[in-house]
Amino acid sequence: MSFRLYNTLSGQVEDLRPLSPPEVRMYACGPTVYARAHIGNFRTFVANDVLRRALSYGGYRVRGVMNLTDVDDRIIKLAAEAGQEIGPFTSAHIAAFREDMKALRLEPPEVVPKATEHIPEMVELIQKLIERGHTYVADGSVYFRIGSFPAYGRLARLDVSGMKAGARVDTDKYEKEDARDFVLWKLKADEPAWAQWDAPFGKGRPGWHIECSAMGMKYLGETFDVHCGGVDLIFPHHENEIAQSECGTGHPFVRHWMHVEHLLVNEETMSKSKGNFFTLPDLVEAGHAPEAVRYLLAQAHYRKQLNFSFEGLDQAKAALERIHGVVRRLGEVDAAGSAAAPVLEAGERAEAAFAAALRDDLNTPEAIAAVHGLVTEANQLLAAGAVNAGGAGALRERFERMDRVFAVLLPAGEDRLEPELQALFDGRQEARRARDFRRADELRGELERRGIVLEDTPRGTRWRRR
Ligand code: AMP
Ligand code: ZN
């Protein structure tokens, strides 16, 4: 079954066609680690996480990369002011980022590379660009000549001279041939020695764009499936990534570009520079649970702007309480018996709608509506006394499966299986439903080897850690 996703490159919702299914190779631009990330940044990261979870829920195997930008003007300036080198300065911000990721239930991507640990890969790519005639040196820096790449501007749909207002551009002033040309390598002799690396074209440091090309291609191949980021990265960052990657390799860089709309505050983009931001600890301090923050960010469609408000956060909390309440009540049912048809059908219908919504351009508002639909039905069935232990187990299992994507649907304090184990668990349940007991036993054995023991009870299959 196809998974459809809007592709910024074509401007259309398209089937995702991974190069080597069932694997999907995806890259997400990560944070610049000079300060605590705000929840605007996390809107993008949560949407990236929902995509990867929805893909694994849909049967794909995701290989994800998210970089840490740990060298740029601000980092060098702030580290120098703090009397530190890059490593010690950024490590505290990286630790804080990982803490927030964990609290927001972001699955760690398979690879989380640091820019400073991939300088040789960047140098090699720049070297290729030099050999192929795509660069020039001006003002002591190596520039990419945009005029040498006719497809420049396709992603952002720029006209030749177009510059989108408000987009992030090079802040440094140089003698460029063309205003749009961008720095590949900065030869800044006046920067601290710990922020300079050797290269055949001179000691210096990389520009921002080259890092994502070098790390993306190193871990995912010269052409990979999905590249994500916030909408502000379309131009110039991603446009530049395409130009330098495709000129360096001669191959298409990325098949599917996924961009997340911004989180706003009072109709203005949440940003560090505007000062209108909240960090996760700010919100926790004010008494809000990270779960509610995740719910608020995840339930909005990634292609629509979302206005942050405390009212919205309270509504998220109330919605979660409603879901958790029914899951808890299902756990309390003890009338023996196997699930009745209307109960099974309600669960099946809800999950089918849930899965279809996600496959349709990651329609999380509809997916979460399916969750709430099941809450309503389950409450009605419970009130009518129509749910016995078997039915409760079957319904609970639906919530567990849908939780693989949202990761906040089960009441607090519940242990969750790691996504990979949950997939094995779901596979076994499916095999049992299909009466393929050999396969079901195989999967039970696999789970046991990984320390998960299953027990089939009247209330459904339970698991525990050995
Ligand atoms: P940065 O740390 O500035 O490189 O940004 C990290 C990620 O956050 C990028 O993908 C940005 O596009 C994204 N981002 C920044 N501000 C917002 C916002 N207000 N809403 C959603 N995403 C954002
Ligand atoms: Zn990037």
Side-chain angles (χ1 to χ4, degrees), residues 245-386:
S245 306
E246 300 196 350
C247 290
T249 68
H251 304 304
F253 176 45
V254 166
R255 294 159 67 88
H256 222 111
W257 286 89
M258 186 256 202
H259 290 104
V260 183
E261 259 300 346
H262 274 174
L263 184 68
L264 314 181
V265 187
N266 296 324
E267 308 305 328
E268 261 200 299
T269 293
M270 181 178 288
S271 79
K272 195 125 260 161
S273 57
K274 289 199 177 78
N276 61 350
F277 63 90
F278 297 97
T279 65
L280 186 64
D282 290 339
L283 298 178
V284 169
E285 180 101 336
H288 299 281
E291 274 180 312
V293 178
R294 179 178 170 103
Y295 180 94
L296 178 69
L297 298 176
Q299 53 80 41
H301 195 264
Y302 76 95
R303 282 206 288 133
K304 293 211 173 90
Q305 294 182 330
L306 172 66
N307 199 42
F308 173 79
S309 70
F310 283 94
E311 201 178 47
L313 202 47
D314 288 337
Q315 285 163 2
K317 182 179 173 212
L320 279 178
E321 276 169 4
R322 185 170 178 268
I323 300 167
H324 296 168
V326 84
V327 174
R328 247 186 247 111
R329 280 192 290 287
L330 289 170
E332 290 157 6
V333 169
D334 48 25
S338 47
V343 173
L344 289 177
E345 281 159 20
E348 199 173 314
R349 243 186 350 259
E351 197 183 340
F354 175 88
L358 293 174
R359 280 196 308 270
D360 178 16
D361 194 22
L362 205 64
N363 194 332
T364 51
E366 263 185 39
I368 206 73
V371 173
H372 284 285
L374 186 58
V375 171
T376 303
E377 281 200 79
N379 276 328
Q380 286 164 352
L381 290 161
L382 281 164

Side-chain angles (χ1 to χ4, degrees), residues 29 212 237 241:
C29 288
C212 288
H237 185 47
E241 278 188 44

Side-chain angles (χ1 to χ4, degrees), residues 30-32 38 40-41 44-45 168 229-230 232-233 261-263 269-270:
T32 309
H38 54 70
N41 302 131
T44 291
F45 300 136
R168 196 157 166 180
D232 56 306
L233 300 189
E261 259 300 346
H262 274 174
L263 184 68
T269 293
M270 181 178 288

Side-chain angles (χ1 to χ4, degrees), residues 16 22-27 48-49 51-57 59-65 107-111 220 225-226:
L16 185 69
E23 188 170 66
V24 175
R25 298 188 191 136
M26 68 181 263
Y27 185 94
N48 298 163
D49 181 67
L51 174 63
R52 65 171 278 141
R53 285 170 175 274
L55 289 171
S56 18
Y57 169 83
Y60 292 103
R61 194 174 65 240
V62 176
R63 178 166 169 78
V65 176
E107 238 173 70
E110 282 61 29
V111 195
L220 301 174
D225 302 312
V226 187

